[in-house]
Structure formats: structure tokens, C-alpha cells
Amino acid sequence: MSTEKFDVVILGGGNAGIGVTGPVRRAGMSVAMIEADLLGGTCPNRGCTPKKVLVAAGHALHEIERAPVHHIAVGKPRLDWAALIDREKDLIKDIPDNLARSMAHRNVEVIRGHGVFAGPTVIRIGDRHLEAKHIVIATGSKPRPLPIPGAEHMITSDEMLSERELPGSVIFVGGGVISLEFGHVYARAGASVTILEALPQLLPAMDANAVARIQTESERIGIQVKTSVGVKRIEPAQGRLRVVFVHKGLEHAAEADRVVNGAGRIANVDTLDLAAGNVEHANGRVAVDRHLRSTSNPQVHVCGDAAPVSPQLSPIATYEGDIVGRNIVEGPKYSPDYASMATSVYTVPALAAVGLTEAAAKQKGFTVKVHTNDMYDWFSARTYAETVAWSKIIVDRATDRILGAHFVGHAGQELVNIFGLAMRFGITAGQIKDYVYAYPTFSSDIKHML
């Protein structure tokens, strides 16, 4: 069987893989991209992009709820869930074809199917063998399987973004981003929502005080939250589902129309036959160096959700893909820096963060000044009838540099980028405070936050 030769073979056609194609194609390298599903991967097709359509509806319902504060009389809103799902599908339907045209414009050969390693420099897809100077693993992520009896009864975010009937009740197993974001949409749409988290805190990687604020707001809109829970089993119960769990030493049972796996996602690398490619890995994690190359096979690069070293976020996938592309062209010169990359949990209101939590900053040995503000009674928050407005800014006393910034509400998902920019380019807290901001805006409150 003949072997086709390429400079670069990319496993995966999501943001990370597409990010690789820019630098390598500008350098004139030949590229094959292997994708078994929709081009674009999780984020635009069944993740962050369609989810934001539902979040926008939740935001509108929140604004309607607050209308009486502005002396606006409105009736009880009615959400047509099926029509909302149709709108979401309509908004994203052209993305894969648009990306296919973009790849064709870049002269990237897109091959449909599932590729696996057939050697350290060879990928097999069907009856084709592709030999490459560089192979990129950009296969994204998949829902984390849970070792719970009856786990097969759970659905994932894929089904939540497709079901045209709003469930009357939902239980999320796991208190991560998916559970909080979809939970807020479902609760505002009228569903009964329960979140069961095994750890003592929801969103365990986030600042504890920020999480406490968003948990309080979640409970305000009717979401039941239980932490330090051990789920024992999931079983059918007369057309519904029953979740049996242990909380505070006692066994409980709760029933719902849907039970959702909200335990996060893991790298989608277990079906690539990594051993055949001499790619060192353990527990679904590929071992990589600081240039995102396999430690055992430097001709193999890893980026996006498949990489074990970074948050599973769409902009980071694109960023890593570009780094991998430049390293392929120029040699191993570039390494990712995640310290100043912001993230948001799109609850309503949103929780946003960049940099270190207070606990992490102290653990690393920094002497910190912590500016914590409950802005609920600030004029700007009262003007827009915010239900929660809170910030925490962590500053290094020795250098006046920003170490971390955390927000709930108050347009924090926008303000966090100012602090990320400051961290990236060494702008001090004093310089941020001295800037003259447009007024009245939420950003004009930054100097008061500091």
C-alpha cells in the first residue's frame, strides 16, 4: 500500500487544529487535516457558541425579572423552548461549511474519518496511510465518564443543546461550569434544578469567595445546591430518573426528568493508538514538554483540549494551535503562557476570573494586598438593579502588579480582560487606578475597586 507524504498531519478540525494551519500554510507546508465530525469541533457546534444563545435568553429573562425596579410593568414571560433551540441551531448551522471553505482557501486537505497512529510518523485513516514530518494531536475533549451504577441514563451538554422540550426537572451530577451555566438557563426557564457536587465547593478551581457569591445567587433563583455529596446510583423511576446519594452521612433520593453529567471533560485521545506512535501517555494525558511536543516523540505536538497542561477553553485552543504551528515552522522556540488568560462562567450574572486566587497567591509565597468589594449598594449597581455585584483584586505588595482578579456581576466578564491585559503587559495596580475611564460605566468603578 502506498504512503502519502505531508509536512503536517493534524488530527482534529477544531479551534486548535485550525489554529495550526495559519503559520504552517504561510510557510508553504503541505497539510492534511483529519476530522470525523463537524469542522470547528466542540465550541462552535455543541459547546460555547450555541450555549451562549441559551444564556442570552436567560439574561433576557433576568432583565424582565428586574423590570419592576425600573417601574416597568410586565406580565409573566413565556419562553418557547423549542423555538429557542431552533434559533440556536439556525445561528450555528453555517459554521462547518464556512470553516470548510476557509480550509480550502488555505489549501488544507480535509479528510473525513478517524485517524490513528500506525507508527511514530504515520497516521492511518481507513485504507490510507499518511506519513508526516509533524503530527498534531488536536482531537479535543469529551464528557468525563462517571463510574456510577446507572450512569448510562445520564445525558450530556450535547443533548441539552438539542432537546426541543424543556424538562420539568433536572439534576446535574457535578458542580462544574456546564452545570452552573445550563442550570441558570433551565431555572429561569421554569425547570426545577438540583446540583450535586462531590467536593466541598462548586467550581473548585475558582476563588472560594467568588463561588460563594454565585452559589447564593443560584439559590436565589431556585437552584438547589448540595456539596460533599457521594452519588451511589441512578435508576429509572416510573418514567423519570432517581438519583440516590449520600449527604452529611445520610442516604437521600431525588427524582427528575433528566440527569446530566456535569463532571467536566477529558482529553479525547484514548482511541488514537498512542503507543503505536511512541507517544508517552498515562491516564488519558499525553506527556508534553514546554513547547507542547510529546516528550517521547518530538515530531508529535499536542494542543487544545487534548493538551494536559491548560484550561479547556476555546481561545486557549486557538492560541496553542498558533504556538504549535510556529514551532513547526521555526523550531521549538515558543511556549504558552496562561497566567494572564481570563475565563468566565456564563451564569447570569457571570463569574469571571484571571490569574491567581487569593489562596493560590499566598501558597506561592506572595505578600498580597487583597481588595474585596461588595458593590451591591454602589450607585452603578443600583442603577442597573444588579442582584449581585462583587469583586476581588489581588495585588503583589512588592511590585504593585496584579496577581489575580475575580468578579461576580458588574460586567465582570468584560472588566476581567482589562486586568488580564494589565497582567500580560506589566501595568501596575496604581497605573490602572490612575487611568481616566469613561463615566458612568462599570469600568469607571475600577479605581474604586482598587
Side-chain angles (χ1 to χ4, degrees):
M1 183 180 296
S2 63
T3 299
E4 304 168 62
K5 295 184 182 295
F6 289 88
D7 293 317
V8 183
V9 170
I10 302 170
L11 297 170
N15 284 351
I18 290 171
V20 174
T21 65
V24 297
R25 283 301 301 133
R26 284 192 295 272
M29 291 182 166
S30 58
V31 181
M33 173 181 284
I34 300 173
E35 175 56 60
D37 201 349
L38 297 173
L39 280 179
T42 297
C43 178
N45 294 302
R46 53 188 181 276
C48 40
T49 303
K51 172 196 69 186
K52 283 299 291 289
V53 179
L54 306 191
V55 171
H59 183 78
L61 290 169
H62 175 71
E63 291 296 315
I64 293 169
E65 175 205 336
R66 305 303 292 163
V69 180
H70 305 287
H71 302 284
I72 301 171
V74 295
K76 183 178 180 180
R78 186 185 69 84
L79 173 60
D80 186 335
W81 186 263
L84 175 61
I85 295 297
D86 290 343
R87 177 175 188 260
E88 168 234 312
K89 296 300 183 189
D90 183 64
L91 285 171
I92 66 172
K93 69 178 188 300
D94 295 327
I95 292 175
D97 287 344
N98 290 339
L99 291 173
R101 282 190 289 271
S102 175
M103 292 301 95
H105 180 72
R106 293 184 184 182
N107 290 319
V108 173
E109 182 177 346
V110 177
I111 304 171
R112 299 293 182 173
H114 179 67
V116 298
F117 281 91
T121 61
V122 179
I123 296 296
R124 175 174 56 81
I125 175 169
D127 59 359
R128 299 175 66 176
H129 283 71
L130 313 181
E131 184 176 354
K133 298 175 183 176
H134 299 272
I135 295 172
V136 180
I137 299 174
T139 45
S141 61
K142 60 183 180 180
R144 181 186 302 276
L146 290 173
I148 299 170
E152 68 274 10
H153 298 299
M154 291 191 291
I155 64 172
T156 68
S157 55
D158 290 2
E159 289 83 9
M160 287 190 288
L161 288 165
S162 298
E163 289 191 344
R164 298 179 75 254
E165 181 178 350
L166 176 69
S169 53
V170 182
I171 296 173
F172 290 91
V173 178
V177 174
I178 290 172
S179 300
L180 267 295
E181 292 180 339
F182 280 98
H184 269 237
V185 174
Y186 275 141
R188 286 192 165 85
S192 171
V193 176
T194 300
I195 297 175
L196 305 177
E197 168 56 45
L199 296 175
Q201 176 187 310
L202 299 175
L203 302 167
M206 308 292 276
D207 183 89
N209 297 129
V211 173
R213 295 285 171 156
I214 200 61
Q215 179 172 332
T216 298
E217 177 66 4
S218 301
E219 291 168 340
R220 186 190 71 81
I221 65 172
I223 297 175
Q224 295 187 58
V225 176
K226 295 185 184 298
T227 56
S228 300
V229 167
V231 176
K232 308 297 288 182
R233 64 185 182 275
I234 302 166
E235 58 194 17
Q238 297 180 329
R240 306 179 83 208
L241 292 170
R242 180 184 298 118
V243 179
V244 179
F245 61 95
V246 174
H247 184 236
K248 295 182 178 179
L250 298 176
E251 186 169 280
H252 303 265
E255 294 185 4
D257 298 320
R258 292 285 183 273
V259 178
V260 180
N261 181 346
R265 301 175 69 86
I266 59 172
N268 184 25
V269 297
D270 57 322
T271 62
L272 300 180
D273 199 354
L274 296 172
N278 190 30
V279 177
E280 183 181 349
H281 62 286
N283 300 318
R285 297 165 63 89
V286 176
V288 297
D289 64 15
R290 63 190 184 94
H291 302 295
L292 300 178
R293 299 179 305 172
S294 164
T295 55
S296 56
N297 182 356
Q299 291 175 276
V300 173
H301 312 255
V302 189
C303 53
D305 285 5
V309 294
S310 57
Q312 294 176 334
L313 298 171
S314 170
I316 290 180
T318 302
Y319 167 72
E320 290 177 341
D322 182 72
I323 286 175
V324 165
R326 287 186 289 154
N327 282 339
I328 288 173
V329 173
E330 303 177 41
K333 294 170 56 176
Y334 304 101
S335 300
D337 178 4
Y338 307 109
S340 61
M341 293 191 178
T343 183
S344 291
V345 180
Y346 292 103
T347 46
V348 181
L351 186 160
V354 65
L356 300 175
T357 64
E358 180 181 353
K362 291 177 179 177
Q363 187 176 23
K364 286 179 176 289
F366 290 102
T367 301
V368 297
K369 185 173 184 180
V370 180
H371 303 270
T372 303
N373 296 281
D374 183 353
M375 302 176 287
Y376 178 78
D377 285 327
W378 290 17
F379 181 81
S380 51
R382 292 168 58 201
T383 299
Y384 285 92
E386 288 195 278
T387 52
V388 55
W390 180 91
S391 70
K392 177 191 283 190
I393 316 298
I394 302 153
V395 179
D396 180 10
R397 283 188 182 273
T399 64
D400 200 37
R401 295 288 182 88
I402 303 294
L403 297 175
H406 308 269
F407 301 89
V408 181
H410 219 63
Q413 71 273 28
E414 303 292 345
L415 300 189
V416 72
N417 293 295
I418 295 175
F419 287 89
L421 192 72
M423 293 173 65
R424 174 69 177 81
F425 295 104
I427 303 169
T428 67
Q431 289 170 325
I432 295 174
K433 186 176 179 180
D434 286 344
Y435 182 74
V436 179
Y437 297 86
Y439 178 87
T441 59
F442 287 143
S443 59
S444 66
D445 284 337
I446 286 176
K447 57 180 60 203
H448 304 300
M449 295 179 197
L450 289 164

